[in-house]
Amino acid sequence: MSVTSQIDVVCQGPPREMGYAQGQAARPRIGEAKRMLQRLEAFRLHQPWWLPFAAFRRLAERKAADALLDSLTDHDPAMLDRIHGLAEGSRQSLQTVCLFNAMESLMSSVQENTVTPGMCACSALGVRGARSATGEPILARNFDYLRLVQPFYFLRESRPAGGFRALEFTTAPMAGTVDGINEHGLAITFNYAFVKDTPQSAVPISMGITAALATCRTAGEAAEQIARRPRWGAGILMLADAEGDLVSLELSNTRHAIRRPHNGDDAIFHTNVFRSPEMREVEVSPEAIFGKNAPTALRGVRVLESAEARWGRFEHLLDEGKKFGPDELTDLMSDHGADGADHRTLCMHSEYWNTTACLQFLPRQRKMRVSYSSACDAKYTDFAL
C-alpha cells in the first residue's frame, strides 16, 4: 500500500489552539482510529474474555488518562493544554485522546512475560562530511509499523507562539512527534526500544521531541533537554543539525546515554537495540521472547532478533567507506539482505512488521522527504521550511 504524503494541518498559536487545529483537521481519522482499536490484536489481547469491548476500551481510556494527565500537569502543562485542544477539536473525550497518546509508551513495556504491543521496529542512519556525497548531514529512517495504522499517518506544520516552526511526522491522534525538523535545521527521529525499568512519570518521549523542536537549535542542546525530562517509555533518537553534529540518544524510563560517530567516522546508525553498556543493563534480556500475551505472529520470536539482525546488516553495508546522498541512502535503506526480505531486513516485509513510511532529513536545507511506502518502493515528496 502506498499513500501520498501531504501537509495535513498547520497548527499555530498557543498550545490549546494548536491542539484544536489538529483535532479538527484529523477528526474523521481519529474517529476511525477509535474504531480500528477493535481490530488491533495487540490491544485486544489485554481484554478479559468476559468484558465487552466497549467497556474494555473505556477502562483502558480511564487508566491512560489517570497516568498521563497528572504527569502533564506536573511536567508539561503546555502539552496538557494541547491534549485538551486535540480532544475538543476532534470531538472525542479527553480519555480517548489520552489512550492514543499513551500507546507509544506501552510499546516499550516487557512486563508480564513480555507483554508488548510489538507494533514497531525501525532503522535510522546519519551521515555527514566524508560519508556524505554532498558533505552535508543527512538522516535516513525507515518506520516499521503495522499496515493497519498507516492510514492514520499525519504531517503537520507547527508554528508555536514564541517557539520555532517545525515539520512533524506523527499520527492523527498524537500530540507528540515521531520525527521532525525545525527552522534551524534540527532534525530528530524516534525508534522504540524494549526495557525493564520502571517509569519516572507518564510523559511520552514523543512529547519531549515536540518540545525540543520548538525550543532547540542544535542536536546537543536537544539531546540534553530530552534526556533531562521525566519520561514514560524507551527509545533511541537520532538527532542532527545544520552544523553537522550527529547524536544517537538512548533512553529508558530512568537512564540515558549519548553516542556520536567515533574514530573519525562520519556515519552513525541504530535500530532498536542499545549499544551503551549502562543502557544494556535495563534492556530486555537478549534471550527474552514474545510470550502468549503478544500478537500471534510474534510469539516465540526473540524480542531483539530483528534489531540485532538489522544492526549487523548496517555494519556490513557501511564497512566500505562509501559516500551517501539521498539516492544512495534510499538504495541502502531498501536492502533486503542476502536471503530476501523478512522481519530482520532494513526494508522490512513480514507477517507483522512492515516498512510503512520512509523519511529523509537534510538539516542545512531545512528539508524533510517523506514516502508512505516500503523503502524499496519509495517515491519521496519534499517539504521544506
Side-chain angles (χ1 to χ4, degrees), residues 58-280:
R58 288 193 296 271
L59 177 62
E61 290 172 348
R62 287 197 297 272
K63 288 184 175 180
D66 288 345
L68 192 58
L69 296 178
D70 285 346
S71 287
L72 289 178
T73 299
D74 292 338
H75 302 298
D76 198 339
M79 188 58 73
L80 178 62
D81 284 348
R82 197 157 172 170
I83 290 281
H84 277 282
L86 188 52
E88 292 163 0
S90 63
R91 298 180 184 170
Q92 296 288 339
S93 72
L94 183 61
Q95 288 75 19
T96 293
V97 172
C98 285
L99 175 61
F100 284 115
N101 281 272
M103 278 189 163
E104 158 205 328
S105 302
L106 295 173
M107 290 176 198
S108 62
S109 171
V110 292
Q111 304 302 314
E112 299 178 48
N113 193 28
T114 313
V115 178
T116 172
M119 291 171 61
C120 46
C122 305
S123 304
L125 165 67
V127 297
R128 67 183 181 192
R131 301 304 299 272
S132 169
T134 62
E136 66 181 323
I138 312 173
L139 298 188
R141 133 88 150 170
N142 284 356
F143 188 57
D144 305 324
Y145 220 64
L146 300 178
R147 295 197 185 280
L148 184 66
V149 181
Q150 192 179 45
F152 308 107
Y153 292 171
F154 202 77
L155 289 179
R156 69 183 177 221
E157 180 178 342
S158 289
R159 303 175 182 174
F164 305 143
R165 292 180 299 126
L167 297 171
E168 298 165 337
F169 167 65
T170 186
T171 63
M174 281 181 60
T177 302
V178 179
D179 305 317
I181 187 168
N182 73 11
E183 63 180 288
H184 293 283
L186 169 65
I188 306 175
T189 73
F190 181 11
N191 289 14
Y192 297 105
F194 303 101
V195 297
K196 55 192 178 183
D197 58 348
T198 303
Q200 302 175 33
S201 76
V203 179
I205 293 170
S206 67
M207 295 180 180
I209 296 174
T210 302
L213 290 172
T215 59
C216 298
R217 290 177 169 83
T218 69
E221 180 186 3
E224 290 181 11
Q225 177 173 300
I226 292 169
R228 286 196 307 266
R229 284 172 58 104
R231 59 188 168 270
W232 179 23
I236 311 174
L237 276 53
M238 183 74 75
L239 303 94
D241 60 36
E243 298 303 313
D245 194 11
L246 295 175
V247 175
S248 177
L249 173 61
E250 300 181 348
L251 299 166
S252 75
N253 292 292
T254 60
R255 298 186 184 189
H256 75 276
I258 288 177
R259 293 192 306 116
R260 283 185 166 92
H262 62 283
N263 297 330
D265 199 1
D266 282 325
I268 192 168
F269 60 85
H270 57 231
T271 58
N272 309 93
V273 62
F274 292 143
R275 305 308 295 182
S276 304
E278 63 268 38
M279 300 304 296
R280 299 299 294 268

Side-chain angles (χ1 to χ4, degrees), residues 232-348:
W232 179 23
I236 311 174
L237 276 53
M238 183 74 75
L239 303 94
D241 60 36
E243 298 303 313
D245 194 11
L246 295 175
V247 175
S248 177
L249 173 61
E250 300 181 348
L251 299 166
S252 75
N253 292 292
T254 60
R255 298 186 184 189
H256 75 276
I258 288 177
R259 293 192 306 116
R260 283 185 166 92
H262 62 283
N263 297 330
D265 199 1
D266 282 325
I268 192 168
F269 60 85
H270 57 231
T271 58
N272 309 93
V273 62
F274 292 143
R275 305 308 295 182
S276 304
E278 63 268 38
M279 300 304 296
R280 299 299 294 268
E281 294 175 1
V282 295
E283 187 173 49
V284 61
S285 167
E287 289 76 39
I289 63 172
F290 289 109
K292 64 180 181 179
N293 293 316
T296 305
L298 296 179
R299 294 173 189 173
V301 176
R302 282 197 312 113
V303 175
L304 300 182
E305 177 183 315
S306 172
E308 291 171 350
R310 285 178 284 118
W311 180 278
R313 192 62 179 171
F314 265 138
E315 288 186 315
H316 174 76
L317 294 172
L318 289 169
D319 194 39
E320 300 173 357
K322 180 179 178 180
K323 293 179 181 288
F324 295 91
D327 292 343
E328 291 80 10
L329 286 170
T330 297
D331 290 342
L332 185 149
M333 301 300 281
S334 299
D335 182 71
H336 288 169
D339 301 317
D342 59 16
H343 70 286
R344 298 165 298 180
T345 51
L346 295 177
C347 182
M348 191 173 295

Side-chain angles (χ1 to χ4, degrees), residues 312-385:
R313 192 62 179 171
F314 265 138
E315 288 186 315
H316 174 76
L317 294 172
L318 289 169
D319 194 39
E320 300 173 357
K322 180 179 178 180
K323 293 179 181 288
F324 295 91
D327 292 343
E328 291 80 10
L329 286 170
T330 297
D331 290 342
L332 185 149
M333 301 300 281
S334 299
D335 182 71
H336 288 169
D339 301 317
D342 59 16
H343 70 286
R344 298 165 298 180
T345 51
L346 295 177
C347 182
M348 191 173 295
H349 301 261
S350 75
E351 293 182 27
Y352 198 75
W353 288 308
N354 291 275
T355 300
T356 54
C358 310
L359 300 97
Q360 294 182 351
F361 296 88
L362 293 88
R364 289 183 186 165
Q365 300 181 43
R366 280 64 170 167
K367 181 187 290 186
M368 176 170 70
R369 312 183 71 219
V370 183
S371 179
Y372 293 162
S373 67
S374 61
C376 60
D377 194 36
K379 297 176 177 61
Y380 288 99
T381 302
D382 292 2
F383 304 92
L385 290 166

